[in-house]
Amino acid sequence: SDLLPRNKGIKAAQLRDDWEQMATSKIGKTLQILYLSYNNLEEFPATWALRNMVKLGLLDLANNNIKKVHPFTREVMLSSLYLNNNQIEEIPADLCGFSENTESLNFSYNKLKKIPNIFDASSVHVMGSVDFSNNEISGVDGAGGYKGINASTVSLANNKFSKFPSELIAAGSPIITLDLSGNQMTSIPKGSIKGKKAYLLQVIDLRFNKLTSLSDDFRSTTLPYITNMDLSYNCFTEVPTQPLNSANLRAFGINHQRDAQGNRPLRTWPTGITKCPSLIQFQIGSNDIRKVDETLTSHMYILNISDNPNISIDVTSVCAYIKAGMYKLFYDKTQDIRGCDALDLEN
C-alpha cells in the first residue's frame, strides 16, 4: 500500500503528478491500496496512466478538492472507493470495474446532479453499499440507457429528488435497503416500484420528505419481504395501510407529521395496527393522536406515543409486560394513559 494522507502542504498539481508517476512505475502495476485522503488533490491523472494500476483494490480520496475524475477503465477492479467530501459534479461511465469483492463505494458530499450510469444491475455480482447521499441529485444519468445499481444497500439521502427514482427499480437493481430520506418528494405515483428485482426491497427510509400518501406499490404483493419502513417527518393526515399487511414488516415509523403551516395533521390512531402479522415496533410520536380505542397486544412490544398531548389510551392489556420489562412504552408523564400503575404519570 501507499500512504499519503493529510499532506495539506503539497499543492494539487504536485499531488497529481506524483500519482501519475507512481501509476506508470513498476510500483503502479502491483499497488493494491492507495490512501490520498485529506489532501489538496483537484484532478485524477490521465486514463493512460491510471489503467496501469491493475492490482488496485482500495482507493481512498476522501476530503480533497477533486473536481475532475478521469476513468481507470473497466479492467481496474476496485473493491472499495472513497470519493466523499469533494467537489465532483460528474463521474465518467467507464470509471472502473466492480467485482464480487466490491464492498463499499462512497460518493457522498459532492456536487453530483445525476446518479451516474457506472453500474450494471444485470451483473451476477452484487456489491455491498453505494452511498450517494448529500449531493444535488434529482434523477439518473440515462445516457445510453440507465443500467441500474447492482448493490444491496443504496443511500440517496439528502438530495433533490422530487419524484421517486423509479428508473433504479425498473432497471432491475437488487436493492435490499434504500435510503431516500431528506429529499423533496410529495408523492410516489403508482407503478414507481416495478421491476424484476423489486420484491427484494426490505428496508426503506422515506423520512424528511413532503409525502401525504403512499401508492399501492407498497402492498405486500409488490414488496413481500418489507421489514422496516420509516415515514417520519412527512405530511401524512392518516397512517397509510398499504405496507401493514406484509407478513414480514417488523418496524413501522410515522413520527412527527406536519403540514405546510407547521400544524399536526395526523390525529387518528390506525385501528387494527395490533393485528399486523409481524409488527413488533410502532412509532407514532410527536403527532396529535386523540382517543385510542384499540386493545394493545404484547406481540407489538415497542410503542412510541410520546409528544401526543391530546392522546387518551388504556394500556391495561400490556401492563403485566411493562412491569416485567417485556414491553417498551415511550410516553410523557402528562399524557392520559390509564390501566398501569407501573408507569410514572402525573395524572
Side-chain angles (χ1 to χ4, degrees):
S1 66
D2 207 340
L3 301 170
L4 284 169
R6 299 182 186 274
N7 284 287
K8 286 291 186 182
I10 303 177
K11 291 183 178 179
Q14 184 65 54
L15 277 166
R16 183 181 178 278
D17 289 346
D18 289 348
W19 183 3
E20 186 174 287
Q21 286 181 21
M22 180 179 60
T24 53
S25 70
K26 192 175 180 180
I27 294 173
K29 291 186 180 298
T30 58
L31 192 69
Q32 297 179 36
I33 299 173
L34 177 58
Y35 294 104
L36 278 169
S37 57
Y38 294 92
N39 280 294
N40 299 313
L41 189 69
E42 293 180 1
E43 184 176 359
F44 278 34
T47 297
W48 63 265
L50 293 174
R51 60 163 44 111
N52 293 310
M53 304 186 77
V54 289
K55 297 285 188 182
L56 190 64
L58 186 152
L59 177 61
D60 186 351
L61 299 172
N63 295 279
N64 276 277
N65 297 314
I66 299 169
K67 300 179 180 66
K68 189 68 176 174
V69 177
H70 299 293
F72 285 84
T73 73
R74 298 283 183 179
E75 285 69 44
V76 179
M77 298 284 218
L78 295 181
S79 59
S80 297
L81 172 63
Y82 303 98
L83 287 172
N84 46 299
N85 297 84
N86 279 287
Q87 308 290 321
I88 301 166
E89 295 184 14
E90 191 175 358
I91 303 287
D94 55 346
L95 173 66
C96 61
F98 306 107
S99 70
E100 71 272 16
N101 298 316
T102 302
E103 299 171 359
S104 180
L105 306 173
N106 194 334
F107 302 91
S108 64
Y109 292 94
N110 277 286
K111 296 182 177 180
L112 295 171
K113 305 291 192 296
K114 304 282 186 184
I115 304 175
N117 201 6
I118 61 175
F119 308 106
D120 189 346
S122 66
S123 169
V124 295
H125 306 307
V126 179
M127 303 179 295
S129 65
V130 179
D131 189 347
F132 286 114
S133 63
N134 296 281
N135 277 276
E136 300 165 15
I137 299 172
S138 60
V140 304
D141 181 359
Y146 183 67
K147 300 191 295 291
I149 301 178
N150 52 321
S152 57
T153 299
V154 175
S155 178
L156 295 166
N158 301 311
N159 277 287
K160 295 187 176 180
F161 288 98
S162 59
K163 72 180 191 70
F164 189 90
S166 55
E167 297 93 339
L168 261 184
I169 310 299
S173 303
I175 301 171
I176 295 173
T177 300
L178 179 60
D179 188 349
L180 278 165
S181 61
N183 279 282
Q184 300 165 9
M185 293 183 292
T186 55
S187 66
I188 300 176
K190 184 170 172 52
S192 296
I193 303 179
K194 187 178 289 185
K196 63 181 180 180
K197 299 286 181 69
Y199 71 93
L200 292 174
L201 195 59
Q202 294 181 22
V203 178
I204 184 163
D205 188 346
L206 294 168
R207 294 174 302 151
F208 298 99
N209 278 278
K210 299 175 182 178
L211 296 169
T212 58
S213 64
L214 285 183
S215 72
D216 283 350
D217 292 78
F218 291 89
R219 292 193 184 280
S220 57
T221 46
T222 307
L223 301 175
Y225 303 117
I226 195 81
T227 62
N228 298 61
M229 176 176 284
D230 202 339
L231 301 171
S232 301
Y233 298 90
N234 278 283
C235 313
F236 286 89
T237 57
E238 58 185 38
V239 177
T241 58
Q242 291 92 336
L244 301 180
N245 288 329
S246 172
N248 294 288
L249 187 68
R250 294 174 61 80
F252 187 81
I254 194 161
N255 297 320
H256 201 279
Q257 303 301 304
R258 298 290 186 272
D259 63 18
Q261 289 74 43
N263 301 312
R264 302 184 181 210
L266 182 57
R267 297 184 172 188
T268 308
W269 178 267
T271 302
I273 189 77
T274 60
K275 295 181 173 62
C276 295
S278 58
L279 194 66
I280 62 173
Q281 179 176 172
F282 183 46
Q283 300 271 345
I284 196 168
S286 193
N287 287 297
D288 193 15
I289 303 301
R290 306 298 176 90
K291 184 81 167 70
V292 179
D293 293 320
E294 189 162 16
T295 301
L296 299 179
T297 58
S298 60
H299 74 258
M300 191 178 81
Y301 57 85
I302 303 171
L303 176 62
N304 178 14
I305 57 169
S306 64
D307 190 23
N308 280 283
N310 298 307
I311 199 169
S312 175
I313 189 170
D314 190 319
V315 299
T316 304
S317 57
V318 294
C319 185
Y321 297 92
I322 292 173
K323 287 180 178 178
M326 297 167 64
Y327 193 104
K328 186 66 177 175
L329 181 69
F330 296 88
Y331 65 98
D332 301 328
K333 292 181 179 182
T334 54
Q335 288 174 318
D336 179 12
I337 304 174
R338 304 170 189 178
C340 194
D341 56 6
L343 298 177
D344 181 16
L345 297 168
E346 291 181 0
N347 55 349

